[in-house]
Amino acid sequence: MHRSGAIMAWNVFKFCTALRSLGSVMILLVLGVIGVTYYAVVITNYAPSLTDSPTFSSILIALLVLLLFHCLLVMLLWSYFAVVCTDPGGVPVNWRPLADEERGENDPLTDLGELQIVGADSSGNPRIRYCRKCNQLKPPRCHHCSVCGRCILKMDHHCVWVVNCVGALNYKFFLLFLFYTFLETTLVALSLLPHFIAFFSDGEIPGTPGTLATTFLAFVLNLAFALSVMGFLIMHISLVSGNTTTIEAYEKKTSPKWRYDLGRKKNFEQLKAQLFEYQSKRCATTCVLNSGFGI
């Protein structure tokens, strides 16, 4: 039994190490898909239509597709690198929960016996938790990420595609990334659909074998991404509406009322407010820990 436990721990360690090493590979893969898509939509099909199309309507459609494509592409890249580069939020060193002196409460760290209990007491208030891997206290809704090797505030999940944890401080960018990715991939799939149908027609298709293969590949990739991202987008919108995370959706017990649910409108307003309140890493972390935005 001890041997199997040691083997499992070793396998998990190797898996986490492998995920860390995928960082630059996944970013290059995303940029590669964007490059193939750009070549198929702009260079191969719609940019030449601005000069080669015989009708005004064809030129207008090509101009509209190119304008929407570039606008969505800029927003997609901005939100993507915002998720990649923004710290999801970590627990400050030697963090201690604030004692409520007005209610006459003592410092909750004076009695270390409470640290062994995780979850909530009979009144529904969260108790202090202790991370044995980080060797420090952690706030409510905080989880340890084995890939990043630290505790993340309001951790949703570790995303391989963005090479980062999705937590309190970058969740808004992750949601925007899903939104713009869905719009961009849907636009590309619809704009390349006539060219994809032409592959199965009997008529002659203009273009070289290389450009035709690139168009075919770009359509298949973007259609697959549009369908998969749509599912993730619907899931995360439902999570935001209930003020919960992916981890909490699996961990929390079935109850008539989730204690962090402020109502659908206020939950979305809370996420919107984070776009303006989180101006710096230090200020943002303090905001999450003390003001109730993320906890």
Side-chain angles (χ1 to χ4, degrees):
M1 185 70 179
H2 176 72
R3 178 182 176 84
S4 62
I7 293 176
M8 182 179 295
W10 173 247
N11 291 337
V12 171
F13 174 76
K14 290 195 297 183
F15 177 72
C16 295
T17 304
L19 287 179
R20 293 191 194 101
S21 63
L22 281 177
S24 58
V25 176
M26 297 307 295
I27 293 178
L28 291 177
L29 180 60
V30 171
L31 295 179
V33 173
I34 293 176
V36 171
T37 301
Y38 191 91
Y39 181 81
V41 174
V42 178
I43 299 177
T44 301
N45 293 294
Y46 282 93
S49 299
L50 295 177
T51 55
D52 300 341
S53 296
T55 61
F56 176 76
S57 60
S58 300
I59 296 177
L60 186 61
I61 291 175
L63 186 62
L64 181 62
V65 169
L66 290 174
L67 180 62
L68 289 175
F69 177 85
H70 284 91
C71 290
L72 291 175
L73 181 61
V74 170
M75 299 305 297
L76 187 156
L77 290 174
W78 166 76
S79 58
Y80 176 73
F81 284 104
V83 180
V84 173
C85 300
T86 302
D87 192 303
V91 182
V93 180
N94 299 325
W95 173 82
R96 283 170 169 261
L98 298 177
D100 193 342
E101 297 179 356
E102 294 182 358
R103 297 182 180 180
E105 295 180 0
N106 296 324
D107 189 340
L109 300 186
T110 55
D111 184 7
L112 298 179
E114 294 186 359
L115 298 180
Q116 60 188 3
I117 301 177
V118 178
D121 55 21
S122 58
S123 62
N125 297 320
R127 297 202 175 185
I128 305 170
R129 300 182 302 165
Y130 186 81
C131 180
R132 300 187 183 278
K133 297 180 181 179
C134 296
N135 293 322
Q136 67 175 8
L137 300 172
K138 58 182 181 180
R141 311 189 74 179
C142 179
H143 298 273
H144 184 89
C145 176
S146 299
V147 180
C148 296
R150 61 181 180 134
C151 288
I152 303 298
L153 296 175
K154 199 181 178 184
M155 178 179 173
D156 188 88
H157 69 288
H158 185 93
C159 183
V160 180
W161 287 98
V162 302
V163 202
N164 198 3
C165 263
V166 178
L169 305 187
N170 65 350
Y171 184 80
K172 56 188 177 295
F173 298 122
F174 177 75
L175 194 63
L176 290 175
F177 169 62
L178 291 180
F179 177 70
Y180 290 122
T181 300
F182 172 70
L183 293 181
E184 178 79 331
T185 52
T186 301
L187 173 66
V188 172
L190 292 176
S191 62
L192 295 181
L193 181 60
H195 304 277
F196 179 78
I197 296 176
F199 281 104
F200 305 98
S201 63
D202 297 331
E204 183 179 353
I205 306 175
T208 64
T211 57
L212 296 178
T214 305
T215 301
F216 185 90
L217 178 62
F219 173 82
V220 173
L221 286 176
N222 281 271
L223 180 61
F225 275 109
L227 295 176
S228 59
V229 170
M230 180 178 65
F232 281 110
L233 183 61
I234 293 174
M235 182 189 75
H236 280 280
I237 289 177
S238 65
L239 291 175
V240 174
S241 65
N243 198 1
T244 186
T245 64
T246 302
I247 294 177
E248 291 169 345
Y250 286 98
E251 285 188 349
K252 68 180 182 181
K253 298 180 181 179
T254 56
S255 58
K257 178 67 175 178
W258 175 234
R259 67 185 310 273
Y260 298 108
D261 188 2
L262 305 176
R264 183 175 301 177
K265 182 179 179 181
K266 290 186 177 180
N267 290 336
F268 279 97
E269 288 177 351
Q270 184 183 92
L271 182 65
K272 181 180 178 181
Q274 292 177 0
L275 290 169
F276 305 98
E277 293 294 336
Y278 295 159
Q279 299 176 354
S280 67
K281 178 181 177 182
R282 183 175 180 180
C283 176
T285 302
T286 304
C287 182
V288 171
L289 290 172
N290 297 332
S291 70
F293 266 138
I295 296 178

